[in-house]
Coordinates of all heavy atoms in Angstrom, one line a residue:
M210 N -13.1 7.4 0.2 CA -12.0 6.7 0.9 C -10.8 7.7 1.0 O -10.5 8.3 0.1 CB -11.6 5.5 0.0 CG -10.5 4.6 0.7 SD -10.2 3.2 -0.3 CE -11.5 2.1 0.2
T211 N -10.3 7.7 2.2 CA -9.1 8.5 2.4 C -7.9 7.7 2.1 O -7.9 6.5 2.0 CB -9.0 9.0 3.9 OG1 -8.7 7.9 4.7 CG2 -10.3 9.7 4.3
C212 N -6.7 8.5 2.0 CA -5.5 7.7 1.7 C -5.1 6.7 2.8 O -4.7 5.6 2.5 CB -4.3 8.8 1.6 SG -4.4 9.8 0.1
R213 N -5.4 7.1 4.0 CA -5.1 6.2 5.1 C -5.9 4.9 5.0 O -5.4 3.8 5.3 CB -5.3 6.9 6.4 CG -4.7 6.3 7.6 CD -5.0 7.0 8.9 NE -4.3 8.3 9.0 CZ -3.2 8.6 9.7 NH1 -2.8 7.6 10.4 NH2 -2.6 9.7 9.7
E214 N -7.2 5.1 4.7 CA -8.0 3.9 4.6 C -7.6 3.1 3.4 O -7.5 1.8 3.5 CB -9.5 4.3 4.3 CG -10.1 4.8 5.5 CD -11.5 5.5 5.2 OE1 -11.7 5.9 4.0 OE2 -12.2 5.8 6.2
A215 N -7.1 3.8 2.3 CA -6.6 3.0 1.1 C -5.4 2.2 1.4 O -5.3 1.0 1.1 CB -6.3 4.0 0.0
I216 N -4.6 2.8 2.2 CA -3.2 2.1 2.6 C -3.6 0.9 3.5 O -3.0 -0.2 3.4 CB -2.3 3.1 3.2 CG1 -1.9 4.1 2.2 CG2 -1.1 2.3 3.9 CD1 -1.1 5.3 2.8
D217 N -4.6 1.1 4.4 CA -4.9 0.0 5.3 C -5.5 -1.2 4.6 O -5.3 -2.3 5.1 CB -5.9 0.5 6.3 CG -5.3 1.3 7.4 OD1 -4.0 1.2 7.6 OD2 -6.0 2.1 8.1
V218 N -6.1 -1.0 3.5 CA -6.7 -2.1 2.8 C -5.9 -2.7 1.6 O -6.3 -3.7 1.0 CB -8.2 -1.8 2.4 CG1 -9.0 -1.5 3.6 CG2 -8.1 -0.7 1.3
L219 N -4.7 -2.1 1.4 CA -4.0 -2.5 0.2 C -3.6 -4.0 0.2 O -3.6 -4.7 -0.7 CB -2.7 -1.6 0.0 CG -2.9 -0.3 -0.6 CD1 -1.6 0.4 -0.8 CD2 -3.5 -0.5 -2.1
A220 N -3.2 -4.4 1.5 CA -2.8 -5.9 1.6 C -4.0 -6.8 1.2 O -3.8 -7.8 0.5 CB -2.3 -6.1 3.0
D221 N -5.1 -6.5 1.6 CA -6.3 -7.3 1.3 C -6.6 -7.2 -0.2 O -7.0 -8.2 -0.8 CB -7.6 -6.8 2.1 CG -7.5 -7.1 3.5 OD1 -6.6 -7.9 3.9 OD2 -8.3 -6.5 4.3
Y222 N -6.4 -6.1 -0.7 CA -6.5 -5.9 -2.2 C -5.6 -6.8 -2.9 O -6.1 -7.5 -3.9 CB -6.3 -4.5 -2.5 CG -6.5 -4.1 -4.0 CD1 -7.7 -4.2 -4.6 CD2 -5.3 -3.8 -4.8 CE1 -7.8 -3.9 -5.9 CE2 -5.5 -3.4 -6.1 CZ -6.8 -3.5 -6.7 OH -6.9 -3.1 -8.0
L223 N -4.3 -6.8 -2.6 CA -3.4 -7.7 -3.3 C -3.6 -9.1 -3.0 O -3.3 -10.0 -3.9 CB -1.9 -7.3 -2.9 CG -1.5 -5.9 -3.4 CD1 -0.1 -5.6 -2.9 CD2 -1.6 -5.8 -4.9
D224 N -4.1 -9.4 -1.9 CA -4.4 -10.9 -1.5 C -5.7 -11.3 -2.2 O -6.0 -12.6 -2.3 CB -4.6 -11.0 0.0 CG -3.3 -10.9 0.7 OD1 -2.2 -11.2 0.0 OD2 -3.3 -10.7 1.9
G225 N -6.5 -10.4 -2.7 CA -7.8 -10.8 -3.4 C -8.8 -11.1 -2.3 O -9.8 -11.8 -2.7
T226 N -8.6 -10.7 -1.1 CA -9.5 -11.1 -0.1 C -10.6 -9.9 0.2 O -11.3 -10.0 1.2 CB -8.8 -11.5 1.3 OG1 -8.0 -10.4 1.7 CG2 -7.9 -12.7 1.1
M227 N -10.5 -8.9 -0.5 CA -11.3 -7.8 -0.4 C -12.6 -7.9 -1.0 O -12.7 -8.4 -2.1 CB -10.5 -6.5 -0.9 CG -11.3 -5.3 -0.8 SD -10.3 -4.0 -1.7 CE -9.1 -3.7 -0.4
P228 N -13.7 -7.5 -0.4 CA -15.1 -7.5 -1.1 C -14.9 -6.6 -2.3 O -14.3 -5.6 -2.3 CB -16.0 -6.9 -0.1 CG -15.2 -7.0 1.3 CD -13.8 -7.0 1.0
S229 N -15.7 -7.1 -3.4 CA -15.5 -6.3 -4.6 C -16.0 -4.9 -4.6 O -15.4 -4.0 -5.2 CB -16.3 -7.0 -5.7 OG -17.7 -7.1 -5.4
D230 N -16.9 -4.6 -3.7 CA -17.3 -3.1 -3.6 C -16.2 -2.3 -2.9 O -16.1 -1.1 -3.4 CB -18.7 -3.0 -2.9 CG -18.6 -3.6 -1.4 OD1 -17.8 -4.5 -1.2 OD2 -19.3 -3.1 -0.5
V231 N -15.5 -2.8 -2.0 CA -14.4 -2.1 -1.4 C -13.3 -2.0 -2.4 O -12.6 -0.9 -2.5 CB -13.9 -2.8 -0.1 CG1 -12.7 -2.0 0.5 CG2 -15.0 -3.0 0.8
A232 N -13.0 -3.1 -3.2 CA -12.0 -2.9 -4.2 C -12.3 -1.9 -5.1 O -11.4 -1.1 -5.6 CB -11.9 -4.3 -5.0
A233 N -13.6 -1.8 -5.6 CA -13.9 -0.7 -6.5 C -13.7 0.6 -6.0 O -13.3 1.6 -6.7 CB -15.5 -0.9 -6.9
E234 N -14.0 0.8 -4.7 CA -13.8 2.0 -4.1 C -12.3 2.4 -4.0 O -11.9 3.5 -4.3 CB -14.4 2.0 -2.7 CG -14.8 3.4 -2.1 CD -15.4 3.2 -0.7 OE1 -16.2 2.3 -0.5 OE2 -15.1 4.0 0.2
L235 N -11.4 1.4 -3.7 CA -10.1 1.6 -3.7 C -9.5 1.9 -5.1 O -8.7 2.9 -5.2 CB -9.4 0.2 -3.2 CG -7.9 0.4 -3.2 CD1 -7.3 1.4 -2.3 CD2 -7.3 -1.0 -2.8
E236 N -10.0 1.3 -6.1 CA -9.6 1.5 -7.4 C -9.9 2.9 -7.9 O -9.2 3.6 -8.5 CB -10.1 0.5 -8.4 CG -9.3 -0.8 -8.4 CD -10.0 -2.0 -9.0 OE1 -11.1 -1.8 -9.6 OE2 -9.5 -3.1 -8.9
R237 N -11.1 3.4 -7.4 CA -11.5 4.8 -7.7 C -10.5 5.7 -7.1 O -10.1 6.7 -7.6 CB -12.9 5.0 -7.2 CG -13.6 6.0 -8.0 CD -15.2 5.8 -8.0 NE -15.6 5.5 -6.7 CZ -16.5 4.5 -6.4 NH1 -16.9 3.7 -7.3 NH2 -16.9 4.3 -5.2
H238 N -10.2 5.4 -5.8 CA -9.2 6.3 -5.1 C -7.8 6.3 -5.8 O -7.2 7.3 -6.1 CB -9.0 5.9 -3.7 CG -8.0 6.7 -2.9 ND1 -8.4 7.9 -2.3 CD2 -6.8 6.5 -2.7 CE1 -7.2 8.4 -1.7 NE2 -6.3 7.6 -1.9
L239 N -7.4 5.1 -6.2 CA -6.1 5.0 -6.8 C -6.1 5.7 -8.1 O -5.0 6.3 -8.5 CB -5.7 3.5 -7.1 CG -5.4 2.7 -5.9 CD1 -5.4 1.2 -6.2 CD2 -4.1 3.1 -5.2
A240 N -7.2 5.7 -8.8 CA -7.2 6.4 -10.2 C -6.9 8.0 -10.0 O -6.5 8.6 -10.9 CB -8.5 6.2 -10.8
E241 N -7.2 8.4 -8.8 CA -7.1 9.9 -8.5 C -6.0 10.3 -7.7 O -5.7 11.4 -7.4 CB -8.4 10.4 -7.9 CG -9.7 10.3 -8.7 CD -10.9 10.5 -7.9 OE1 -10.8 10.7 -6.7 OE2 -12.0 10.5 -8.5
C242 N -5.2 9.3 -7.2 CA -4.2 9.5 -6.2 C -2.9 9.0 -6.5 O -2.6 7.8 -6.3 CB -4.8 9.0 -4.8 SG -3.7 9.5 -3.5
A243 N -2.0 9.8 -7.0 CA -0.7 9.3 -7.5 C 0.1 8.7 -6.3 O 0.8 7.7 -6.5 CB 0.1 10.4 -8.2
P244 N 0.2 9.4 -5.2 CA 1.0 8.8 -4.1 C 0.5 7.4 -3.7 O 1.4 6.6 -3.3 CB 0.7 9.9 -2.9 CG 0.4 11.1 -3.6 CD -0.4 10.7 -4.8
C245 N -0.8 7.2 -3.7 CA -1.3 5.8 -3.3 C -0.9 4.8 -4.4 O -0.6 3.7 -4.1 CB -2.7 5.9 -3.0 SG -3.1 6.5 -1.4
R246 N -0.9 5.3 -5.7 CA -0.5 4.4 -6.7 C 0.9 4.0 -6.5 O 1.3 2.8 -6.7 CB -0.7 5.0 -8.1 CG -2.2 5.0 -8.6 CD -2.2 5.1 -10.1 NE -1.7 6.4 -10.6 CZ -2.3 7.5 -10.6 NH1 -3.5 7.6 -10.2 NH2 -1.7 8.6 -11.1
A247 N 1.7 5.0 -6.2 CA 3.2 4.7 -6.0 C 3.3 3.8 -4.8 O 4.2 2.8 -4.9 CB 3.9 6.0 -5.8
Y248 N 2.6 4.0 -3.8 CA 2.6 3.1 -2.6 C 2.3 1.7 -3.0 O 2.9 0.8 -2.6 CB 1.8 3.6 -1.5 CG 1.9 2.9 -0.3 CD1 2.8 3.1 0.7 CD2 1.0 1.8 0.0 CE1 3.0 2.4 1.8 CE2 1.1 1.0 1.1 CZ 2.0 1.3 2.0 OH 2.1 0.5 3.2
L249 N 1.2 1.6 -3.8 CA 0.8 0.3 -4.1 C 1.8 -0.5 -5.0 O 2.1 -1.6 -4.8 CB -0.5 0.4 -4.9 CG -1.1 -1.0 -5.6 CD1 -1.4 -2.0 -4.5 CD2 -2.3 -0.7 -6.4
A250 N 2.4 0.3 -5.9 CA 3.5 -0.3 -6.8 C 4.7 -0.8 -5.9 O 5.2 -1.9 -6.1 CB 4.0 0.7 -7.8
T251 N 5.1 0.0 -5.0 CA 6.2 -0.4 -4.1 C 5.8 -1.5 -3.2 O 6.6 -2.5 -3.1 CB 6.5 0.9 -3.2 OG1 6.8 2.0 -4.0 CG2 7.8 0.5 -2.4
Y252 N 4.6 -1.5 -2.7 CA 4.1 -2.6 -1.8 C 4.1 -3.9 -2.6 O 4.4 -4.9 -2.1 CB 2.8 -2.2 -1.3 CG 2.3 -3.0 -0.2 CD1 2.8 -2.9 1.1 CD2 1.4 -4.1 -0.4 CE1 2.3 -3.7 2.1 CE2 0.9 -4.9 0.6 CZ 1.4 -4.7 1.8 OH 0.9 -5.5 2.9
R253 N 3.6 -3.8 -3.8 CA 3.4 -5.0 -4.6 C 4.8 -5.6 -4.9 O 5.0 -6.8 -4.8 CB 2.7 -4.7 -5.9 CG 2.4 -5.9 -6.8 CD 1.7 -5.5 -8.0 NE 0.3 -5.4 -7.9 CZ -0.5 -4.6 -8.6 NH1 0.1 -3.8 -9.5 NH2 -1.7 -4.5 -8.3
K254 N 5.7 -4.8 -5.3 CA 7.1 -5.2 -5.6 C 7.7 -5.8 -4.4 O 8.5 -6.8 -4.5 CB 7.9 -4.0 -6.1 CG 9.2 -4.4 -6.9 CD 9.8 -3.3 -7.6 CE 9.0 -2.8 -8.8 NZ 9.5 -1.7 -9.6
T255 N 7.5 -5.2 -3.3 CA 8.1 -5.7 -2.0 C 7.6 -7.1 -1.7 O 8.3 -7.9 -1.4 CB 7.6 -4.7 -0.9 OG1 8.2 -3.4 -1.2 CG2 8.2 -5.2 0.5
R256 N 6.3 -7.3 -2.0 CA 5.8 -8.7 -1.7 C 6.3 -9.6 -2.7 O 6.5 -10.8 -2.3 CB 4.2 -8.5 -1.8 CG 3.6 -7.9 -0.5 CD 2.2 -7.6 -0.6 NE 1.4 -8.7 -1.2 CZ 0.6 -9.4 -0.4 NH1 0.3 -9.0 0.8 NH2 -0.1 -10.4 -0.8
E257 N 6.4 -9.2 -3.9 CA 6.9 -10.2 -5.0 C 8.4 -10.5 -4.6 O 8.7 -11.7 -4.7 CB 7.0 -9.4 -6.3 CG 5.6 -9.5 -7.0 CD 5.5 -8.6 -8.2 OE1 6.6 -8.1 -8.7 OE2 4.4 -8.4 -8.8
L258 N 9.2 -9.6 -4.2 CA 10.5 -10.0 -3.7 C 10.5 -10.9 -2.6 O 11.2 -11.8 -2.5 CB 11.2 -8.7 -3.3 CG 11.7 -7.7 -4.4 CD1 12.3 -6.5 -3.8 CD2 12.7 -8.4 -5.3
G259 N 9.6 -10.7 -1.8 CA 9.4 -11.6 -0.6 C 9.1 -13.0 -0.9 O 9.5 -13.9 -0.2
T260 N 8.2 -13.2 -2.0 CA 7.8 -14.5 -2.3 C 8.8 -15.2 -3.2 O 9.0 -16.4 -3.1 CB 6.4 -14.5 -3.0 OG1 6.5 -13.6 -4.1 CG2 5.3 -14.1 -2.0
T261 N 9.5 -14.5 -4.1 CA 10.4 -15.1 -5.1 C 11.8 -15.3 -4.4 O 12.5 -16.2 -4.8 CB 10.6 -14.3 -6.3 OG1 11.0 -12.9 -6.0 CG2 9.2 -14.3 -7.1
A262 N 12.2 -14.4 -3.5 CA 13.5 -14.6 -2.9 C 13.2 -14.7 -1.4 O 13.2 -13.8 -0.6 CB 14.4 -13.4 -3.1
A263 N 13.1 -15.9 -1.0 CA 12.6 -16.2 0.4 C 13.7 -15.7 1.4 O 13.3 -15.3 2.5 CB 12.4 -17.7 0.6
R264 N 14.9 -15.6 1.0 CA 15.9 -15.2 2.0 C 15.8 -13.7 2.2 O 16.4 -13.3 3.2 CB 17.4 -15.5 1.4 CG 17.6 -17.0 1.6 CD 19.1 -17.3 1.3 NE 19.3 -18.7 1.0 CZ 20.5 -19.2 0.5 NH1 21.4 -18.3 0.2 NH2 20.6 -20.4 0.3
V265 N 15.3 -13.0 1.3 CA 15.3 -11.6 1.4 C 14.1 -11.3 2.2 O 12.9 -11.4 1.7 CB 15.2 -10.8 0.1 CG1 15.1 -9.3 0.3 CG2 16.4 -11.1 -0.8
E266 N 14.2 -11.0 3.4 CA 13.0 -10.7 4.3 C 12.6 -9.3 4.1 O 13.4 -8.4 4.1 CB 13.5 -11.0 5.8 CG 13.6 -12.5 6.0 CD 13.7 -12.8 7.5 OE1 13.4 -11.9 8.3 OE2 14.1 -13.9 7.9
M267 N 11.4 -9.1 3.9 CA 10.8 -7.9 3.9 C 10.2 -7.6 5.2 O 9.0 -7.9 5.5 CB 9.8 -7.7 2.8 CG 9.3 -6.3 2.5 SD 10.7 -5.1 2.6 CE 11.7 -5.7 1.2
P268 N 10.9 -7.0 6.1 CA 10.4 -6.9 7.5 C 9.2 -5.9 7.5 O 9.1 -5.0 6.7 CB 11.6 -6.3 8.2 CG 12.5 -5.7 7.3 CD 12.2 -6.5 6.0
E269 N 8.4 -6.2 8.5 CA 7.2 -5.3 8.7 C 7.7 -3.9 8.9 O 7.0 -2.9 8.5 CB 6.4 -5.8 9.8 CG 5.0 -5.2 9.8 CD 3.9 -6.2 10.3 OE1 3.9 -7.3 9.9 OE2 3.2 -5.7 11.2
E270 N 8.8 -3.8 9.5 CA 9.3 -2.5 9.8 C 9.5 -1.6 8.5 O 9.2 -0.4 8.5 CB 10.8 -2.6 10.4 CG 11.4 -1.3 10.8 CD 12.9 -1.4 10.9 OE1 13.4 -2.6 11.1 OE2 13.5 -0.4 10.7
M271 N 9.8 -2.3 7.4 CA 9.9 -1.5 6.1 C 8.6 -1.1 5.7 O 8.4 0.0 5.1 CB 10.6 -2.4 5.1 CG 10.8 -1.6 3.8 SD 12.4 -2.1 3.0 CE 12.3 -1.0 1.6
Q272 N 7.6 -2.0 5.8 CA 6.3 -1.6 5.4 C 5.7 -0.4 6.3 O 5.1 0.5 5.7 CB 5.3 -2.8 5.5 CG 5.6 -3.9 4.6 CD 4.7 -5.1 4.8 OE1 3.6 -4.9 5.4 NE2 5.2 -6.2 4.4
V273 N 6.0 -0.5 7.5 CA 5.7 0.6 8.4 C 6.4 1.9 8.0 O 5.8 3.0 8.0 CB 6.0 0.3 9.9 CG1 5.8 1.5 10.8 CG2 5.2 -0.9 10.4
R274 N 7.6 1.8 7.6 CA 8.3 3.0 7.2 C 7.8 3.6 5.9 O 7.7 4.8 5.8 CB 9.8 2.6 7.0 CG 10.8 3.7 7.5 CD 12.3 3.3 7.2 NE 12.6 2.1 8.0 CZ 13.6 1.3 7.6 NH1 14.3 1.5 6.5 NH2 13.9 0.2 8.3
L275 N 7.5 2.7 5.0 CA 6.8 3.2 3.7 C 5.5 3.9 4.0 O 5.3 5.0 3.5 CB 6.6 2.0 2.8 CG 7.8 1.5 2.0 CD1 7.4 0.2 1.4 CD2 8.2 2.5 0.9
R276 N 4.8 3.3 4.9 CA 3.5 3.9 5.2 C 3.7 5.3 5.8 O 3.0 6.2 5.5 CB 2.8 2.9 6.2 CG 1.4 3.4 6.4 CD 0.7 2.4 7.4 NE 0.6 1.1 6.8 CZ -0.4 0.2 7.2 NH1 -1.3 0.6 8.1 NH2 -0.5 -1.0 6.6
R277 N 4.6 5.3 6.8 CA 4.9 6.6 7.5 C 5.4 7.6 6.5 O 5.0 8.8 6.5 CB 5.9 6.3 8.6 CG 5.8 7.3 9.7 CD 6.8 6.9 10.8 NE 6.4 5.7 11.5 CZ 7.3 4.9 12.1 NH1 8.6 5.1 12.0 NH2 6.8 3.8 12.7
F278 N 6.2 7.2 5.6 CA 6.7 8.1 4.5 C 5.6 8.7 3.7 O 5.5 9.9 3.5 CB 7.7 7.4 3.6 CG 8.2 8.1 2.4 CD1 9.1 9.1 2.5 CD2 7.6 7.8 1.2 CE1 9.5 9.8 1.4 CE2 8.0 8.5 0.1 CZ 8.9 9.5 0.2
L279 N 4.7 7.9 3.3 CA 3.6 8.4 2.5 C 2.7 9.3 3.3 O 2.3 10.3 2.8 CB 2.8 7.2 2.0 CG 1.6 7.6 1.2 CD1 1.9 8.3 -0.1 CD2 0.7 6.4 0.8
I280 N 2.4 8.9 4.5 CA 1.5 9.7 5.4 C 2.2 11.1 5.6 O 1.5 12.1 5.6 CB 1.1 9.1 6.6 CG1 0.2 7.8 6.3 CG2 0.5 10.0 7.6 CD1 -0.1 6.9 7.5
D281 N 3.5 11.0 5.9 CA 4.2 12.4 6.0 C 4.1 13.3 4.8 O 3.9 14.4 4.8 CB 5.7 12.1 6.4 CG 5.7 11.7 7.8 OD1 4.8 11.8 8.6 OD2 6.9 11.2 8.2
R282 N 4.3 12.5 3.6 CA 4.3 13.4 2.4 C 2.9 14.0 2.1 O 2.7 15.1 1.7 CB 4.5 12.4 1.2 CG 5.9 12.6 0.6 CD 6.2 11.7 -0.5 NE 5.3 12.0 -1.6 CZ 5.5 11.5 -2.9 NH1 6.5 10.7 -3.1 NH2 4.7 11.8 -3.9
L283 N 1.9 13.2 2.5 CA 0.5 13.6 2.2 C 0.2 14.8 3.2 O -0.5 15.7 2.8 CB -0.5 12.5 2.4 CG -0.4 11.4 1.4 CD1 -1.2 10.2 1.8 CD2 -1.0 12.0 0.1
R284 N 0.7 14.7 4.4 CA 0.4 15.8 5.3 C 1.1 17.1 4.9 O 0.6 18.1 5.1 CB 1.0 15.3 6.7 CG 0.2 15.9 7.8 CD 0.8 15.4 9.2 NE 0.4 14.1 9.5 CZ 1.1 13.2 10.2 NH1 2.4 13.4 10.5 NH2 0.6 11.9 10.4
A285 N 2.2 16.9 4.2 CA 3.0 18.1 3.8 C 2.3 18.8 2.7 O 2.6 20.0 2.4 CB 4.5 17.7 3.4
V286 N 1.5 18.1 1.9 CA 0.9 18.7 0.7 C -0.1 19.7 1.1 O -0.9 19.4 2.0 CB 0.2 17.6 -0.2 CG1 -0.5 18.3 -1.3 CG2 1.4 16.8 -0.8
Ligands
ZN658 ZN1 -4.4 8.3 -1.7

């Protein structure tokens, strides 16, 4: 699994809608990939904020920005 694939399926992973074999593959990737772990942590926190503080909107734009940030970082390595 590449970082881009991992990022694409993170939402399903957090929703628990991901097939267990894909989840296992993602977890294997996360175990070896610090940037994706950081992304997951940020993404999860963002979603928690979104559900506990309904007024704080977490616009998709921010998720896109986070994703772009990570991809740029990975490209620079
Ligand atoms: Zn990764």
